Amino acid sequence: MRILYGVNGEGMGHATRSRVVIEHLLERHDVRVMASQAAFRYLSERLPRVDEVFGPSFAMNEGEIQRWATVVQNVRRATHEVPETVRHWTETIDREWRPDVVITDFEPLTALYARTYRVPMLAVDNINMLDRCRHDAEIIGAEREDFLLARAGTRSMVRGAIEYLVLTFFY
């Protein structure tokens, strides 16, 4: 089976979780990995084939996400990086090798590929619990605006593409 596996590059949780899954998949399947930023650097040192793709990142100040700066930073980067990423992606995936299934650990371009080409997709992450689970008001608390923004971002990436969802989280 040909598997396209996308890994989000912000933080290392996606990369370390995905490495374990990918290593097992490689024992039986043809797996192509696409990752950005820190995940790309980490996985490319440990796996046989990892392609670098554009991935959004957070603008931080003293450990706090700066919303507007994040939007501006990613729009500026995307303007320059997305065309090259999509060109490379199209040549590699669409012309040379078509996946039977897409697995994403919250990587947006592989999810977009699955949705665009109607390839079955499996999401392996913990972030989808924002969209798929009910959250009591006391859990959200005063951070309701942040919660709604994060849920909207999560929902926009995967809606219409997921066939299967594996939520990984702990109490």
Side-chain angles (χ1 to χ4, degrees):
M1 179 181 299
R2 292 180 309 276
I3 301 170
L4 174 61
Y5 202 116
V7 184
N8 184 300
E10 185 73 21
M12 288 302 294
H14 302 283
T16 55
R17 171 181 41 232
S18 291
R19 176 185 173 194
V20 173
V21 176
I22 293 165
E23 286 174 341
H24 285 286
L25 290 171
L26 282 168
E27 293 173 7
R28 293 185 163 181
H29 304 287
D30 182 7
V31 181
R32 303 268 176 103
V33 180
M34 294 194 163
S36 59
Q37 302 167 59
F40 170 75
R41 290 186 297 276
Y42 173 79
L43 294 171
S44 63
E45 293 175 1
R46 292 159 176 84
L47 298 172
R49 181 177 179 160
V50 181
D51 290 313
E52 188 170 19
V53 294
F54 168 80
S57 61
F58 294 117
M60 305 289 285
N61 184 15
E62 296 183 16
E64 185 174 316
I65 296 172
Q66 304 297 302
R67 286 189 211 147
W68 183 244
T70 294
V71 170
V72 170
Q73 167 185 291
N74 285 304
V75 167
R76 283 184 182 150
R77 284 186 53 232
T79 301
H80 300 290
E81 295 178 36
V82 168
E84 180 57 34
T85 293
V86 170
R87 188 173 17 266
H88 171 74
W89 180 35
T90 301
E91 289 171 4
T92 302
I93 300 304
D94 198 39
R95 292 187 185 144
E96 299 173 15
W97 181 88
R98 286 188 161 257
D100 298 308
V101 67
V102 170
I103 301 176
T104 182
D105 195 328
F106 205 59
E107 195 289 309
L109 292 178
T110 49
L112 178 62
Y113 181 89
R115 197 170 40 239
T116 302
Y117 292 97
R118 300 190 184 280
V119 177
M121 185 175 92
L122 170 70
V124 178
D125 61 51
N126 56 337
I127 196 74
N128 273 287
M129 69 182 278
L130 291 175
D131 182 38
R132 305 299 175 128
C133 298
R134 185 181 61 81
H135 305 280
D136 294 332
E138 51 273 4
I139 291 173
I140 299 168
E143 307 301 327
R144 180 168 174 70
E145 188 176 311
D146 291 333
F147 169 78
L148 292 174
L149 186 60
R151 185 172 65 183
T154 302
R155 186 174 285 172
S156 70
M157 187 182 102
V158 297
R159 282 295 177 160
I162 290 181
E163 300 244 348
Y164 303 99
L165 177 66
V166 177
L167 294 176
T168 59
F169 58 92
F170 303 91
Y171 287 102

